[in-house]
Amino acid sequence: MSGKGPSYYSGETGHCQAQVDPLAGLRAPDDPPWDVYLTGTVFLDIIFTGLDSAPVRGTESWARGMGSSPGGVANMATALARLGLKTSLAAAFGSDHYGEYCWDALAQGEGIDLSTSRTVSGWHSPVTVSMAYEGERTMVSHGHEPPPEAALLQEDAPDGPPRARAAVASLDPGRRAPWIAQAASRGTRIFGDVGWDDTGAWDLAGLADLEHCEAFLPNAEEAMRYTRTSCPREAAHALTAYVPLAVVTLGAEGAYAVDGRTGESAEVPAIAVEALDPTGAGDVFVAGFVTGTLAGWPLADRLAFAGLTAALSVQEFGGSLSAPGWAEIGAWWRRVQSVAEQDPAALRRYGFLADLVPPAEQARPWPLRRAVPTIGFRRSA
């Protein structure tokens, strides 16, 4: 690892304060004000868990659990902030109670910068209902197109997006986002994420902003479709013709990455956990990988850390408020070391955590916000 190692925060811990700064040894007075910049749509997520099967037409299903939390781009923003990165988010928020709740949860609860975000009068917040069952989830979303005044600042401000070490961009087939090129020209490291291509074209040439990305992080199915390959590992190697670093998530098998600049590859298996709600796990994985990359960790350590954070997240409700903090990461590391007959090779794989997590005697409970069934409708005084 590079740098002087992490720093541990002292004093009382609030909801919005991470316990570890993974970039402490790398920070300098002339650094950008933000570690990571994001933009996108914030949803109000309502999550039903404890379903035995998918809902059946003409019947009523009862869920044993339910939670509400900010969703959409808020998943990744929260995960980054909880890992100690200074995070700035540009998004439009509805002026309804859902919008107020999401704004407060992100700004006050997580310490995320919303100075480039806007509340749009009269606009209803987009909503997603997620139903988790059999280790998967089905989602139903509803929302209205935001009015013209909801255009985000990075699109119309002459100065472009704020300076940041990195940005996570959701690549849209057939469309360029001008802010991505602006940010990249200023030295911001772009990490490209992508969703399902509803057009069915699966054309890498259509991902025009991929040329500005340092890393591209599709899942296995997306990677194989874009590269016309039948193996996700082969797909990762093929992607390095378009982007320096390709990271392909393999679901229950873990993740595989190839650095085309050095020829290095790495594969890390997934951590077996009992999943309560997989919503947002992919976003948490990206946040973990971005954190390790900015901290200068080896490729395999970055994959292992990203997989760990994602695994911890699926054991809680919600996509954003399920993201783990350093207290939980430290607790997991100490717990697995105490398991009798633990695989020594597996312990060595995560041994890099010993220099990151707070020592047991300094560890404090971190009052993380978690998804709850009811939503607070009024701003704090």
Side-chain angles (χ1 to χ4, degrees):
M1 297 179 196
S2 61
K4 300 177 182 178
S7 66
Y8 307 122
Y9 295 117
S10 59
E12 294 300 318
T13 312
H15 284 300
C16 64
Q17 190 177 37
Q19 288 183 296
V20 174
D21 179 2
L23 307 186
L26 303 174
R27 298 197 184 280
D30 59 347
D31 280 347
W34 307 111
D35 295 325
V36 186
Y37 170 76
L38 305 116
T39 183
T41 302
V42 173
F43 287 75
L44 185 279
D45 281 357
I46 300 173
I47 307 100
F48 291 105
T49 65
L51 291 165
D52 294 323
S53 62
V56 178
R57 181 179 179 180
T59 67
E60 181 179 11
S61 299
W62 279 83
R64 292 187 292 274
M66 173 185 167
S68 302
S69 65
V73 71
N75 295 342
M76 196 175 301
T78 300
L80 289 161
R82 288 186 172 185
L83 293 177
L85 299 188
K86 301 174 183 178
T87 303
S88 180
L89 170 64
F93 289 78
S95 59
D96 52 9
H97 294 320
Y98 290 169
E100 291 179 358
Y101 163 74
C102 289
W103 185 291
D104 288 345
L106 299 175
Q108 299 179 19
E110 306 297 337
I112 295 168
D113 169 64
L114 298 180
S115 62
T116 55
S117 293
R118 297 178 179 176
T119 295
V120 182
S121 179
W123 181 53
H124 296 286
S125 299
V127 175
T128 291
V129 174
S130 177
M131 292 162 280
Y133 55 89
E134 298 175 354
E136 285 294 340
R137 83 266 195 230
T138 297
M139 296 185 290
V140 178
S141 297
H142 172 74
H144 301 280
E145 285 292 326
E149 60 266 28
L152 299 179
L153 291 181
Q154 86 284 348
E155 296 287 355
D156 54 21
D159 295 333
R163 290 177 58 239
R165 295 174 188 263
V168 181
S170 181
L171 306 183
D172 191 359
R175 178 181 177 272
R176 283 187 181 271
W179 73 266
I180 297 176
Q182 287 181 305
S185 68
R186 297 175 179 176
T188 297
R189 303 166 71 176
I190 309 296
F191 294 76
D193 196 4
V194 71
W196 191 257
D197 186 356
D198 291 327
T199 70
W202 298 102
D203 182 11
L204 280 169
L207 298 179
D209 286 321
L210 190 60
E211 65 180 359
H212 303 299
C213 294
E214 174 179 331
F216 183 44
L217 300 96
N219 64 32
E221 185 65 24
E222 293 159 350
M224 289 187 292
R225 287 178 178 266
Y226 271 119
T227 58
R228 309 295 193 269
T229 58
S230 58
C231 170
R233 295 161 186 82
E234 180 184 350
H237 284 274
L239 286 170
T240 60
Y242 300 87
V243 67
L245 179 60
V247 181
V248 177
T249 55
L250 308 175
E253 294 184 41
Y256 183 81
V258 181
D259 190 329
R261 296 162 296 192
T262 64
E264 179 186 9
S265 64
E267 182 168 1
V268 174
I271 297 173
V273 296
E274 184 175 349
L276 174 65
D277 175 20
T279 304
D283 296 319
V284 176
F285 179 94
V286 173
F289 189 82
V290 170
T291 299
T293 301
L294 293 184
W297 302 348
L299 184 58
D301 289 356
R302 286 180 263 166
L303 281 185
F305 185 73
L308 170 60
T309 55
L312 293 178
S313 77
V314 303
Q315 298 176 86
E316 297 286 348
F317 286 120
S320 61
L321 303 187
S322 67
W326 284 101
E328 292 167 302
I329 294 168
W332 176 86
W333 172 236
R334 287 185 288 273
R335 185 169 63 251
V336 296
Q337 292 181 86
S338 67
V339 175
E341 300 180 359
Q342 182 65 264
D343 181 3
L347 285 179
R348 287 195 297 272
R349 172 61 274 154
Y350 295 90
F352 66 95
L353 291 174
D355 296 327
L356 287 166
V357 299
E361 62 271 15
Q362 295 182 19
R364 306 181 307 277
W366 186 19
L368 291 174
R369 281 192 176 188
R370 291 303 189 193
V372 295
T374 56
I375 300 169
F377 286 154
R378 296 187 180 278
R379 295 186 185 276
S380 301

